[in-house]
Amino acid sequence: MSGAHNYINMFNLKGRKAIVTGGSRGIGKALAEALAAHGADVAIVVKSSLERAEKLAADLKASGTDSFAIQADVALEDDVQRMTDAVIERWGRIDILVNNAGIVLPAAAEDCALEDWRKTMSVNLDGVFLVSRAVGRQMITQKSGSIINIGSMSGRIVNWPFRHAAYNVSKAGVHMLTKALATEWAEHGIRVNALAPGYIMTELTDDVLREHPDVVNNHWAKGAVQNRIGTVEELAGATIYLASDASSFTTGEVITIDGGLTLR
Ligand code: NAD
């Protein structure tokens, strides 16, 4: 090793305080585990059943972090404020926010009920705004913080054959909100970035695999130049990069992780 810079330590999150929304399963769970593995204390936010989140928090605690589970619906302003206040009361600060909670309600545009359109927007877009605003206010007082929004390749392209215009629009909104917040909050030392995953196997996509294996194999996997679907673990590296000092000059960026699906 040469030079004074500690390159290994750039990825160290020891003692950093992180929030992961929708953190008890799927992508959120893997990202919570990855943050904790790098030393962060993690607040796992879940909408309803606390049981799974508490089990995960106990596992992360056993590995030496001060992690805990907390209930909040990200689409509800009062829930978000209560959750944020509770985290600040426990830790006194918030260094990392992963806005991961999201839903997809597939429907052809001509059949999409206004209620489903609004529900999608309220979780996927209002939720990212509300949690970022509440946590951002704290990060402004600290003059530091890293926010990571989970967008989607569906915010960049219209993926096919399932139809979910509301989801696509909500995720495009997440990407633009990422850039807007990065611009507004740079002067406060806050960085805001997003991941745009391609198809990743989770409980969200398990049902599709069961019911439409042809779509998963012929469209999802073959659509990627790597000819496969991704795993939740394959989103961890970029998350640790964005959460840590390794990305100190990266803000307003949307990192696509899709096995090359959006290349063609
Ligand atoms: P998932 O359904 O397994 O997890 C989503 C989590 O969000 C769940 O824990 C759920 O309870 C939570 N959630 C939903 N509504 C909520 C609310 N109102 N308040 C709080 N929590 C709420 O799905 P996943 O595949 O792990 O997806 C996680 C994120 O990644 C989502 O934003 C999704 O859009 C995005 N994404 C997923 C894929 C994929 O292929 N799986 C691809 C691109 C983007």
Side-chain angles (χ1 to χ4, degrees), residues 22-28 45-47 72-75 100-103 123 150-153 167 171 197-200 202-205:
S24 68
R25 66 179 226 183
I27 292 170
V45 179
V46 284
K47 183 183 168 190
D73 182 334
V74 298
N100 164 77
I103 58 169
V123 177
I150 307 302
S152 173
M153 67 173 169
Y167 181 80
K171 291 297 185 178
Y199 293 115
I200 306 291
T202 65
E203 286 169 54
L204 190 85
T205 51

Side-chain angles (χ1 to χ4, degrees), residues 3-186:
H5 200 84
N6 187 337
Y7 289 109
I8 294 293
N9 209 38
M10 290 164 74
F11 294 93
N12 188 359
L13 299 176
K14 184 108 195 84
R16 303 272 172 102
K17 312 300 182 193
I19 294 175
V20 180
T21 68
S24 68
R25 66 179 226 183
I27 292 170
K29 178 170 185 259
L31 301 188
E33 288 172 338
L35 290 165
H38 282 256
D41 302 320
V42 186
I44 301 150
V45 179
V46 284
K47 183 183 168 190
S48 42
S49 126
L50 265 173
E51 204 177 308
R52 277 220 283 197
E54 275 168 350
K55 162 87 180 63
L56 175 61
D59 290 347
L60 301 186
K61 243 179 141 60
S63 65
T65 69
D66 179 30
S67 298
F68 66 103
I70 184 164
Q71 186 281 329
D73 182 334
V74 298
L76 300 179
E77 196 171 9
D78 290 350
D79 265 32
V80 168
Q81 197 54 55
R82 176 185 46 75
M83 178 277 290
T84 308
D85 290 345
V87 173
I88 294 167
E89 192 180 354
R90 184 177 178 118
W91 288 332
R93 60 184 293 114
I94 303 166
D95 301 297
I96 300 156
L97 165 63
V98 180
N99 279 309
N100 164 77
I103 58 169
V104 55
L105 302 172
E110 66 273 25
D111 299 325
C112 181
L114 179 58
E115 193 190 343
D116 284 353
W117 174 274
R118 287 192 173 143
K119 192 166 177 210
T120 305
M121 296 303 162
S122 76
V123 177
N124 294 6
L125 193 49
D126 299 2
V128 174
F129 166 68
L130 289 172
V131 183
S132 297
R133 188 182 65 176
V135 171
R137 285 172 179 156
Q138 170 63 26
M139 288 177 168
I140 287 170
T141 69
Q142 300 167 191
K143 293 221 139 294
S144 71
S146 173
I147 298 176
I148 302 160
N149 297 326
I150 307 302
S152 173
M153 67 173 169
S154 308
R156 296 189 47 207
I157 58 156
V158 180
N159 47 314
W160 202 250
F162 292 121
R163 293 152 204 240
H164 37 63
Y167 181 80
N168 298 356
V169 172
S170 72
K171 291 297 185 178
V174 168
H175 295 179
M176 183 46 86
L177 182 58
T178 299
K179 294 173 198 217
L181 296 181
T183 304
E184 289 198 28
W185 292 347

Side-chain angles (χ1 to χ4, degrees), residues 153 159-160 197-201 205 219-221 228-230 258 261:
M153 67 173 169
N159 47 314
W160 202 250
Y199 293 115
I200 306 291
M201 281 321 297
T205 51
H219 292 267
W220 291 14
R228 67 177 177 87
I229 289 159
D258 66 352
L261 191 141

